[in-house]
Amino acid sequence: MVLASYFSFATSQCNSSVPSLSWYPPGNTSVNDLSSAIGSSGVYGFIYNSSTDPPGVKYGTYNWCNMPHVRPQEYLKVPDEYQLEYVEVIHRHHKRTPYASNTFPKEGYPWNCDDESLYYHASFVPDNQSAQSYWQVSTSPNNPFVPPGFQGSCQFPQITSGGLSDSRQHGADLFAVYSSLLGFLPADYDAASVAFRVTNNQITSQVASQVIPGMYPSLSTSLILLHIQPATIDSLEPTYPCPSATSLLASYATGSPSPAWTRHLNLSAPLFSSLDSISGVSPTNPDWHKSADHYYDNLSARQCHDKPLPCSLNDTKNCVTQPQADAIYRLGLYEYAFTYRAAPLSLSYSVARYGVFIAELAANLRAAATGNSTVRYRHNVAHDGSISPLLSILQLEDMVWPGMGAEVVFELYGRRGDGCKYVRVLWGGRVLRSSHPGLGEMNMLPLGVLMAYFDGLVGREAEKVIAACGG
């Protein structure tokens, strides 16, 4: 109670402004411009075919296969008067095979993952001993049934060997900043000060298993705790029940009959028809035609792993062209920019859909600000469906579809001399710029301002989310 009282007093002295809880439109960009999405060529200089940026391309360029993140080469240190006190990282998993639901009924070539092992084992406490058992897909010649989609030894989805490599480098880059450069993280792993969290989707654990030894190489064969929440109420993925959020999304975005949504689908109908003729997907299949999502995942996963674009099984000369793939990528980017920022209802949707995590983040920042927690660094491995509503709530000025490894970092600082607390938010390794005039460039934003914004939207302990979800 004493610490909480001090925090309330200190933040009121440092900054008493309460930001508006209104939605503010994003900036006008090619990504959220429908005419660009439909009528332009290429994908705005974005990268879709490698985790490594081409020579001459500046780091920080949008790379769907491996998004830019905090690393020492570009990291900007703050003035010496500020002292780092807490860091919370949330990023999307790294590159993977497509989801099974996003594969064609029959694929023209296999996809094998013989260059990695997916471990599934359990052990007794306290001896923590078990066989290091792992899965590998195999097909029996005596099983007459053939699964749809890609044949081969992969799971759909699973993090590929390239994604595992990107994950390890991601961890190494974060450690190079927060330990080697800043001296903030301990040189040796300390479970009391460093925590990792994942969702119930196994691909996030696969990423964490490489991020951790990227940060602490000595842990490559160690048992490390990954925090998860129950699968039906997880706030990180998220999976907690929120019927009103589902209804709200369906009223203006994917599956909506609203002209604001259907216009881009109607304009791109010839593109979908051409892709259907190649893929074998039925033109009446609603999941493949209510958004660009399924074709986007299928094609981008291939290209990120240097696999050829697909051809028709009935006419091998009828293949998806690069301009067609680019058109799908532009549509997908447009859809995410619309769903999470350009649509006026996007803020209300995201608050309901992701408000619980926002309340948890606020509680973590408060605990760190008051010295009421030993944890100095939290690392969350999540999904595009996690990063997108987070960016929506922060009202990112230039919204995109968060690609593989897309990262948001919250840094909490104290300033010597005045006892005030400040937050810097990094998106892709750079200071995040919000369209909200009270947030703006989120560089040394008074903590009290951010807490007032979060509390106003979701309430302490997410009390407002219950009402927003129709509870």
Side-chain angles (χ1 to χ4, degrees), residues 110-187:
W111 196 327
N112 291 304
C113 295
D114 299 335
D115 53 354
E116 60 182 300
S117 302
L118 301 182
Y119 287 86
Y120 296 92
H121 53 86
S123 61
F124 294 105
V125 175
D127 68 355
N128 289 325
Q129 294 182 359
S130 68
Q132 303 296 293
S133 54
Y134 63 93
W135 286 7
Q136 187 174 72
V137 175
S138 60
T139 302
S140 167
N142 298 306
N143 187 338
F145 294 96
V146 178
F150 287 102
Q151 306 304 298
S153 60
C154 297
Q155 296 284 328
F156 296 93
Q158 76 174 68
I159 304 300
T160 59
S161 59
L164 295 178
S165 177
D166 294 341
S167 301
R168 184 170 289 215
Q169 186 61 52
H170 197 158
D173 287 340
L174 287 166
F175 189 80
V177 170
Y178 292 112
S179 183
S180 304
L181 180 64
L182 302 180
F184 176 73
L185 283 178

Side-chain angles (χ1 to χ4, degrees), residues 48-346:
Y48 279 85
N49 60 2
S50 174
S51 290
T52 303
D53 294 347
V57 173
K58 184 178 180 181
Y59 190 78
T61 299
Y62 181 101
N63 185 335
W64 170 262
C65 307
N66 189 16
M67 292 287 281
H69 57 255
V70 166
R71 63 177 200 168
Q73 296 94 316
E74 295 81 23
Y75 185 81
L76 294 178
K77 297 176 69 174
V78 303
D80 291 342
E81 64 190 280
Y82 295 95
Q83 182 174 359
L84 185 61
E85 297 181 356
Y86 176 72
V87 174
E88 183 144 354
V89 176
I90 175 173
H91 67 83
R92 188 184 182 187
H93 57 77
H94 280 276
K95 67 183 183 182
R96 52 160 175 75
T97 59
Y99 277 83
S101 58
N102 295 341
T103 61
F104 298 165
K106 292 183 179 181
E107 293 284 358
Y109 53 79
W111 196 327
N112 291 304
C113 295
D114 299 335
D115 53 354
E116 60 182 300
S117 302
L118 301 182
Y119 287 86
Y120 296 92
H121 53 86
S123 61
F124 294 105
V125 175
D127 68 355
N128 289 325
Q129 294 182 359
S130 68
Q132 303 296 293
S133 54
Y134 63 93
W135 286 7
Q136 187 174 72
V137 175
S138 60
T139 302
S140 167
N142 298 306
N143 187 338
F145 294 96
V146 178
F150 287 102
Q151 306 304 298
S153 60
C154 297
Q155 296 284 328
F156 296 93
Q158 76 174 68
I159 304 300
T160 59
S161 59
L164 295 178
S165 177
D166 294 341
S167 301
R168 184 170 289 215
Q169 186 61 52
H170 197 158
D173 287 340
L174 287 166
F175 189 80
V177 170
Y178 292 112
S179 183
S180 304
L181 180 64
L182 302 180
F184 176 73
L185 283 178
D188 297 315
Y189 173 69
D190 174 19
S193 61
V194 177
F196 297 94
R197 180 181 172 188
V198 296
T199 72
N200 286 270
N201 188 321
Q202 294 163 347
I203 62 176
T204 59
S205 294
Q206 293 164 16
V207 168
S209 72
Q210 293 299 319
V211 166
I212 293 170
M215 297 178 67
Y216 294 101
S218 64
L219 301 181
S220 59
T221 59
S222 299
L223 297 173
I224 303 298
L225 172 66
L226 299 178
H227 295 274
I228 62 168
Q229 291 186 354
T232 56
I233 60 167
D234 179 30
S235 64
L236 180 60
E237 189 167 349
T239 59
Y240 61 84
C242 192
S244 62
T246 302
S247 298
L248 185 60
L249 182 68
S251 74
Y252 77 89
T254 303
S256 169
S258 167
W261 179 256
T262 58
R263 185 182 177 200
H264 81 282
L265 296 175
N266 293 333
L267 290 171
S268 55
L271 171 64
F272 280 92
S273 177
S274 178
L275 293 176
D276 292 345
S277 71
I278 297 170
S279 67
V281 170
S282 170
T284 62
N285 186 321
D287 290 338
W288 284 80
H289 301 94
K290 64 184 180 182
S291 75
D293 177 88
H294 283 33
Y295 276 117
Y296 190 112
D297 186 32
N298 184 292
L299 300 179
S300 65
R302 297 174 197 262
Q303 296 209 278
C304 281
H305 294 91
D306 197 28
K307 295 186 179 297
L309 291 172
C311 298
S312 168
L313 298 184
N314 298 320
D315 179 3
T316 56
K317 293 182 179 180
N318 183 20
C319 303
V320 176
T321 65
Q322 190 60 57
Q324 288 176 320
D326 291 344
I328 283 292
Y329 302 153
R330 293 194 306 272
L331 286 174
L333 289 163
Y334 171 82
E335 289 176 352
Y336 264 67
F338 177 84
T339 300
Y340 290 99
R341 285 294 291 118
L345 291 174
S346 59

Side-chain angles (χ1 to χ4, degrees), residues 24-40:
Y24 292 89
N28 294 319
T29 68
S30 296
V31 169
N32 62 26
D33 178 66
L34 181 57
S35 62
S36 294
I38 297 295
S40 62

Side-chain angles (χ1 to χ4, degrees), residues 346-365:
S346 59
L347 180 60
S348 297
Y349 166 72
S350 296
V351 165
R353 183 65 279 173
Y354 215 58
V356 176
F357 180 83
I358 293 297
E360 293 169 344
L361 172 63
N364 292 340
L365 289 166

